[in-house]
Amino acid sequence: MSVEQSITREDRCEPPYPLHPSVADRIDPQYADFYNKHIMKHQQVHLQPIEASRTSGTLIPGAGPLAPVAKVEDYFISREETTGPRVRIRAFTPSGSTPEEGWPVCVYFHGGGWVLGTIDTENVIASNLCARGRSVVVAVDYRLAPENPFPAAVDDCWESVLWVLGQGKEILNLDTTRLATGGSSAGGNLAAIMCQRAATLGSPKFSLQLLSVPVTDNTADTSNSKSWNENQHTPALPAPKMMWYRNHYLPNKSDWSHPEASPLLWEGDWSKPPYAVIVVGELDVLRDEGIQFGEKLRRAGVNADIHIMKGQPHPFIAMDGVLDAGKEAITYFCDALRETMYPGEKQKTH
């Protein structure tokens, strides 16, 4: 199916876009109020040129303030195993005294369907993880499709992990025995893949994966997934928009089931990846594949916390300034990071 074919006649219209009747009575009132005031009047991403979306400003409105950290520095890192340009990363360092053995570290990947988003997209989440999780957070500006389709993003993310283990360890004063990863949506997909690749290779040893609304099955659609079917007209990520992203990132349909595109289909040892904290939206097309990913870990004996945010469509974690669910989701992540990296402490981060 081409990108154009994935957009139905019903979607070919102009704003405003009122909430679809199939979700209007199920959606969280806070989200509905913000959507009706600030989002409904704007053109949808999959119905305009990519460049228009990339230059339009904030990818998802409604974010809260940055959390205070000691410093934020950007680096351009060289590659060890793949070819391509240098990868830009951003390091957030907490305030306070550096632990004697170095800072714990979380490598974080932004969302945007592998097509949109930048290193600036999820600074709020990264700064919260840094400040409240007392860990260095390394955010990655991986290459985007369609200019750089699969597996470019995977390669860039893996190179960032290798840099953290090597040069980054010295530059940022890291304790890489305390290593986490995380991401939102496409970023959650990439974080899960990093853990699976590390499990296959035997290193590095991740101790935590933080997955917000992760894409885990790029073969899912309205014909084979309950959440895709019942939420196909949801705001923020309706089914045609998700297909638009998929077709840009994975133009070869044969790659849709590749385990480094669909980590739910990984055939490795599911007892090897780390503890997972997964948050999904009840009204998100990606809900069920996120839940299934966590359940698959659980069946293999891996601890997986699965939080289903009632009435929420896809982007809630990036809307912590206006949604209680966004604040709650970030707190789940910050608490898990703090407690995993500092297991002797009991204090919550909020």
Side-chain angles (χ1 to χ4, degrees):
M1 181 186 293
S2 72
V3 175
E4 289 301 315
Q5 287 171 329
S6 71
I7 302 173
T8 66
R9 182 178 298 275
E10 180 181 359
D11 295 303
R12 292 187 181 279
C13 55
E14 297 294 327
Y17 297 98
L19 291 170
H20 193 273
S22 65
V23 299
D25 294 335
R26 299 187 291 137
I27 203 161
D28 173 67
Q30 282 186 327
Y31 183 91
D33 182 63
F34 188 82
Y35 178 87
N36 289 334
K37 290 178 180 177
H38 301 287
I39 301 175
M40 179 176 69
K41 61 187 177 183
H42 295 291
Q43 181 57 286
Q44 296 187 42
V45 163
H46 60 296
L47 302 179
Q48 66 182 6
I50 293 172
E51 197 56 35
S53 297
R54 288 179 177 170
T55 58
S56 64
T58 303
L59 181 60
I60 301 172
L66 296 169
V69 301
K71 61 182 177 179
V72 181
E73 296 177 291
D74 286 6
Y75 300 88
F76 288 86
I77 67 173
S78 299
R79 296 174 182 270
E80 294 184 31
E81 295 184 359
T82 62
T83 59
R86 293 189 300 167
V87 182
R88 183 184 181 189
I89 62 98
R90 176 168 296 164
F92 298 76
T93 300
S95 301
S97 301
T98 305
E100 184 177 347
E101 63 276 18
W103 290 109
V105 57
C106 178
V107 187
Y108 193 87
F109 310 113
H110 68 78
W114 312 278
V115 175
L116 305 176
T118 69
I119 202 166
D120 300 314
T121 298
E122 294 181 24
N123 281 344
V124 170
I125 298 173
S127 65
N128 271 274
L129 288 170
C130 175
R132 297 162 64 187
R134 280 190 51 75
S135 300
V136 166
V137 174
V138 173
V140 181
D141 199 19
Y142 56 87
R143 287 172 293 171
L144 301 176
E147 299 89 343
N148 298 283
F150 174 82
V154 176
D155 288 346
D156 293 359
C157 294
W158 184 248
E159 292 289 353
S160 72
V161 172
L162 295 177
W163 182 85
V164 162
L165 298 170
Q167 282 187 292
K169 179 178 179 178
E170 303 303 321
I171 293 171
L172 302 175
N173 200 357
L174 304 177
D175 174 9
T176 55
T177 67
R178 295 188 287 172
L179 176 65
T181 187
S184 178
S185 192
N189 166 276
L190 294 164
I193 291 162
M194 295 302 101
C195 292
Q196 291 176 345
R197 181 181 282 194
T200 298
L201 295 173
S203 69
K205 298 292 186 184
F206 286 100
S207 54
L208 175 66
Q209 52 184 324
L210 303 169
L211 310 179
S212 175
V213 295
V215 184
T216 71
D217 184 3
N218 267 306
T219 69
D221 58 32
T222 56
S223 71
N224 60 20
S225 166
K226 180 181 177 183
S227 61
W228 269 73
N229 185 268
E230 70 183 24
N231 297 321
Q232 62 183 290
H233 301 295
T234 191
L237 191 64
K241 183 177 178 182
M242 185 60 219
M243 292 301 300
W244 181 86
Y245 283 133
R246 181 185 295 169
N247 279 294
H248 281 308
Y249 180 57
L250 298 162
N252 298 318
K253 192 171 182 179
S254 60
D255 288 331
W256 291 9
S257 60
H258 192 292
E260 291 201 336
S262 294
L264 184 64
L265 307 183
W266 183 55
E267 295 181 349
D269 184 348
W270 280 79
S271 71
K272 297 299 185 183
Y275 164 45
V277 179
I278 301 168
V279 291
V280 298
E282 183 187 23
L283 269 63
D284 188 5
V285 294
L286 304 179
R287 179 196 67 210
D288 289 353
E289 61 198 73
I291 294 171
Q292 289 162 8
F293 189 84
E295 290 175 340
K296 205 163 183 178
L297 287 168
R298 287 176 175 175
R299 287 195 297 271
V302 176
N303 187 15
D305 298 338
I306 305 170
H307 303 278
I308 305 171
M309 311 306 283
K310 183 174 175 58
Q312 292 299 331
H314 186 70
F316 57 86
I317 200 169
M319 299 176 67
D320 60 301
V322 295
L323 298 180
D324 291 341
K327 298 182 185 72
E328 187 177 357
I330 290 177
T331 296
Y332 286 140
F333 280 7
C334 293
D335 284 352
L337 184 60
R338 182 69 171 260
E339 292 165 8
T340 300
M341 300 307 176
Y342 299 91
E345 295 184 1
K346 299 297 182 184
Q347 183 177 358
K348 296 292 185 180
T349 66
H350 55 285

